[in-house]
């Protein structure tokens, strides 16, 4: 992206609502420091769906990248002038990067897919062919895109019904689809991974969470929420022999892709990971 003209300030930020908890500034600022991009800045801004269009239109040409969190991933996708394949497949963008032609347009990316893939891989789940996804929103669609097998399987755990666009994505990918109600954990017994994309307090029935299946590798639970310590789902999974992937690993790896896309440089993973560990430690110690 825009890595030339380093005497000109470049601005990036994370937008969402709520946004005060976001650790994205920690990661991106650590990357800029390691890369010597001292004229780059990265901040956070409270923006909701109603205010998104005006906020985006108000950015001048020094703004080169945005990270988007809830509830902006779909409205950001619709605002882009160019859409990458993964963003198109998922119908959601967690990243907007200024088009390189100097226009006022933006390209939509979905680096959540990379974040989920890497978080599962770090926990020992490589190339999952079957996944139980709690929820069916934008992040759930990123989890579906992380299923590698062309004839894989996805189980949706939802309160009511699966969102039509999410169901369509799974079927277009050739995945076998099952739907269960929240708290019905029997089908989790034979999947490679469980990915929860909903608030931890809304995940019921954990007393019936299954024991890890026997096999060459342990199944993995990924709760994408981070920042409040271990969730009830993570505790239940760990107690029953599952491997647990940290939501912060997803955060870290989706951010490395954002840094690469926004700056045009390979992301300094070690420095970003170190900064994240320090921030998490400080957050735990903060009374």
């Amino acid at each position: 992206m825009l890595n030339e003209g380093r005497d000109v300030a470049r601005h990036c930020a994370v937008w969402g609502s709520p946004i005060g908890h976001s650790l994205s500034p920690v990661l991106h600022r650590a990357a800029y420091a390691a890369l010597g991009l001292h004229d780059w800045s990265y901040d956070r801004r409270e923006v909701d769906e109603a205010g998104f269009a005006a906020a985006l239109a108000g950015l001048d040409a020094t703004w080169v990248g945005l990270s988007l969190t809830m509830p902006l991933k779909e409205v950001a996708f619709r605002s882009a002038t160019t859409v990458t394949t993964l963003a198109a497949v998922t119908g959601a963008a967690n990243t907007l990067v200024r088009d390189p032609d100097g226009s006022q347009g933006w390209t939509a990316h979905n680096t959540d897919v990379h974040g989920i893939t890497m978080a599962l891989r770090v926990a020992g789940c490589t190339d999952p062919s079957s996944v139980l996804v709690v929820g069916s929103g934008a992040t759930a669609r990123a989890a579906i895109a992380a299923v590698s097998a062309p004839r894989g399987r996805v189980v949706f755990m939802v309160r009511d019904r699966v969102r039509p666009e999410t169901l369509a994505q799974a079927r277009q990918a050739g995945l076998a689809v099952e739907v269960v109600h929240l708290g019905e954990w029997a089908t989790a017994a034979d999947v490679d991974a469980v990915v929860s994309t909903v608030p931890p307090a809304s995940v019921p029935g954990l007393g019936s969470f299954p024991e890890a299946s026997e096999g060459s590798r342990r199944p993995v639970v990924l709760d994408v929420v981070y920042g409040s310590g271990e969730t009830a789902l993570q505790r239940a999974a760990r107690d029953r022999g599952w491997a647990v992937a940290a939501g912060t690993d997803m955060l870290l790896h989706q951010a490395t892709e954002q840094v690469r896309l926004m700056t045009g440089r390979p992301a300094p993973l070690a420095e970003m990971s170190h900064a994240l560990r320090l921030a998490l430690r400080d957050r735990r110690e903060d009374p």
Side-chain angles (χ1 to χ4, degrees), residues 69-92:
T69 186
M70 292 180 62
L72 301 179
K73 294 180 181 181
E74 290 165 327
V75 67
F77 172 82
R78 294 192 296 270
S79 300
T81 52
T82 307
V83 176
T84 62
T85 300
L86 276 180
V89 165
T90 59

Side-chain angles (χ1 to χ4, degrees), residues 1-4 10-12 15 40 55-67 80-82 95-109 258 261-263:
M1 187 47 202
L2 293 175
N3 54 6
E4 70 274 21
R10 304 295 185 191
H11 302 297
C12 302
W15 290 3
W40 285 59
L56 188 68
L59 300 182
D60 64 27
T62 65
W63 282 84
V64 298
L66 294 173
S67 308
T81 52
T82 307
T95 309
L96 289 178
V97 178
R98 179 80 73 179
D99 288 347
D101 59 5
S103 71
Q104 295 301 301
W106 297 86
T107 297
H109 302 263
Q258 289 182 333
L261 292 166
M262 293 176 188
T263 70

Side-chain angles (χ1 to χ4, degrees), residues 67-270:
S67 308
L68 293 316
T69 186
M70 292 180 62
L72 301 179
K73 294 180 181 181
E74 290 165 327
V75 67
F77 172 82
R78 294 192 296 270
S79 300
T81 52
T82 307
V83 176
T84 62
T85 300
L86 276 180
V89 165
T90 59
N94 75 322
T95 309
L96 289 178
V97 178
R98 179 80 73 179
D99 288 347
D101 59 5
S103 71
Q104 295 301 301
W106 297 86
T107 297
H109 302 263
N110 191 327
T111 72
D112 281 339
V113 179
H114 179 73
I116 291 171
T117 299
M118 291 303 300
L120 293 175
R121 185 171 299 172
V122 168
C125 182
T126 303
D127 300 326
S129 62
S130 57
V131 176
L132 185 151
V133 181
V134 186
S136 66
T139 306
R141 295 198 293 277
I144 297 168
V147 177
S148 58
R151 290 186 295 277
R153 167 174 165 253
V154 60
V155 180
F156 291 107
M157 180 179 283
V158 291
R159 186 180 305 280
D160 184 15
R161 65 187 184 95
V162 181
R163 288 176 56 169
E165 61 270 33
T166 305
L167 193 60
Q169 177 194 333
R171 288 176 171 161
Q172 288 168 5
L175 301 177
V177 175
E178 301 174 40
V179 181
V180 299
H181 292 293
L182 275 175
E184 295 180 356
W185 290 105
T187 52
D190 60 350
V191 297
D192 295 327
V194 169
V195 180
S196 179
T197 67
V198 302
S202 64
V203 181
L206 293 174
S208 61
F209 195 87
E211 297 288 335
S213 57
E214 299 290 336
S216 58
R217 67 180 185 183
R218 297 163 68 197
V220 174
V221 157
L222 169 61
D223 196 328
V224 303
V225 175
Y226 69 89
S228 299
E230 192 171 52
T231 67
L233 173 59
Q234 290 172 325
R235 286 193 296 274
R238 199 183 302 278
D239 289 346
R240 290 162 178 79
W242 289 58
V244 174
T248 48
D249 280 341
M250 176 189 169
L251 173 72
L252 171 64
H253 289 285
Q254 64 83 27
T256 62
E257 273 295 280
Q258 289 182 333
V259 168
R260 183 184 67 82
L261 292 166
M262 293 176 188
T263 70
R265 307 272 197 91
L269 177 61

